[in-house]
C-alpha cells in the first residue's frame, strides 16, 4: 500500500542547529524562507529599502529583509537585521467614488478615509510571528536585543503602509583556524 504524497511547501522550513548562520547567505535565506512560508505574505524581497517595491504590480502584503551590518566577536557574529512588512493602502471613502459605480466597500473598525490602521495592525502581527519564530523556534541563532518596531505610512512614495522591525541577531562563529595555513 502506498502512502499519500505530501504537498511540498513554498520553501523548506529552516530549523536546524547544524546550519552555519555565520554565513551571510544562510542568514539571509533563513529570513526569506520564513517570510515565504508565512501565510499572509505574498511576495518577499531583499536588499536596500530604496529599491523596496520597485516592480510595477507586485503582490501584497510584501516583506523585505535587509542585513545592514555585521560584527565579528570572539565566537559569534552579530547581524543588524531589518524586516519590513507592508501593504498597499486603499481609499475607503464613498465620496471619492462616483455614486453609480460599484465599490469594494469594507466595514473597517476605525473611522477614516483609508485602511491604514488595519494595515498597521496586520503587518505588526506578521512581524510578531516572524520575530517570535526566530526567538523561540530556531536553535542556531539568538536575538540578543529588544526588537524595535516602527510604523510607517509615508516612507515610500508608492502608497505602502506597514512596520519595520530592527534587531541584533547573534549566531555562533567558531572561526576555525585549521582551515588556514
Amino acid at each position: 500500500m502506498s502512502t499519500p504524497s505530501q504537498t511540498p511547501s513554498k520553501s523548506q522550513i529552516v530549523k536546524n542547529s547544524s546550519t552555519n548562520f555565520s554565513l551571510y547567505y544562510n542568514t539571509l535565506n533563513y529570513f526569506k524562507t520564513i517570510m515565504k512560508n508565512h501565510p499572509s505574505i505574498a511576495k518577499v524581497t531583499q536588499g536596500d529599502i530604496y529599491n523596496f517595491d520597485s516592480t510595477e504590480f507586485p503582490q501584497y502584503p510584501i516583506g523585505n529583509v535587509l542585513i545592514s551590518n555585521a560584527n565579528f566577536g570572539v565566537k559569534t557574529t552579530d547581524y543588524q537585521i531589518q524586516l519590513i512588512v507592508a501593504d498597499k493602502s486603499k481609499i475607503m471613502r464613498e465620496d471619492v467614488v462616483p455614486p453609480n459605480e460599484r465599490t469594494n466597500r469594507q466595514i473597517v473598525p476605525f473611522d477614516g478615509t483609508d485602511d491604514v490602521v488595519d494595515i498597521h495592525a496586520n503587518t505588526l502581527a506578521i512581524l510578531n510571528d516572524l520575530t517570535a519564530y526566530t526567538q523561540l523556534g530556531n536553535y542556531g541563532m539568538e536575538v540578543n536585543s529588544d526588537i524595535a518596531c516602527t510604523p510607517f505610512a509615508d516612507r515610500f512614495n508608492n502608497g505602502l503602509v506597514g512596520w519595520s522591525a530592527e534587531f541584533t541577531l547573534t549566531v555562533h562563529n567558531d572561526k576555525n583556524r585549521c582551515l588556514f595555513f
Side-chain angles (χ1 to χ4, degrees):
M1 177 178 255
S2 64
T3 60
S5 64
Q6 294 180 347
T7 305
S9 64
K10 292 183 200 175
S11 300
Q12 293 296 322
I13 298 294
V14 179
K15 192 175 178 168
N16 59 11
S17 61
S18 64
T19 302
N20 182 359
F21 288 110
S22 66
L23 297 176
Y24 178 82
Y25 284 124
N26 291 346
T27 302
L28 188 62
N29 285 335
Y30 165 79
F31 285 104
K32 289 172 65 178
T33 299
I34 66 169
M35 291 175 114
K36 286 177 183 175
N37 279 297
H38 194 282
S40 296
I41 296 179
K43 180 176 169 73
V44 177
T45 61
Q46 72 182 55
D48 198 342
I49 60 172
Y50 297 109
N51 297 327
F52 183 59
D53 188 36
S54 60
T55 57
E56 191 173 342
F57 298 105
Q59 302 155 331
Y60 297 103
I62 187 170
N64 186 69
V65 57
L66 172 67
I67 300 176
S68 61
N69 193 3
N71 294 312
F72 293 128
V74 176
K75 293 273 187 187
T76 62
T77 300
D78 291 333
Y79 289 110
Q80 289 300 121
I81 306 291
Q82 180 187 57
L83 302 179
I84 296 175
V85 179
D87 200 348
K88 189 72 83 168
S89 179
K90 295 162 269 320
I91 296 174
M92 305 302 248
R93 288 181 17 194
E94 284 185 20
D95 60 337
V96 175
V97 179
N100 294 336
E101 287 192 30
R102 290 176 38 159
T103 65
N104 289 332
R105 180 169 165 77
Q106 300 176 24
I107 298 173
V108 293
F110 298 97
D111 292 333
T113 59
D114 55 32
D115 58 350
V116 170
V117 173
D118 293 325
I119 292 173
H120 276 150
N122 293 336
T123 54
L124 183 61
I126 294 168
L127 280 175
N128 185 49
D129 292 345
L130 298 171
T131 56
Y133 182 80
T134 301
Q135 287 176 306
L136 305 173
N138 195 307
Y139 304 106
M141 56 183 61
E142 189 172 329
V143 177
N144 278 333
S145 64
D146 288 340
I147 299 169
C149 297
T150 307
F152 61 87
D154 296 323
R155 186 174 183 180
F156 306 101
N157 192 19
N158 54 10
L160 288 180
V161 175
W163 284 82
S164 171
E166 296 182 15
F167 55 93
T168 302
L169 183 76
T170 300
V171 300
H172 177 72
N173 184 352
D174 62 7
K175 296 184 179 182
N176 191 344
R177 292 183 183 186
C178 294
L179 297 175
F180 307 103
F181 296 108

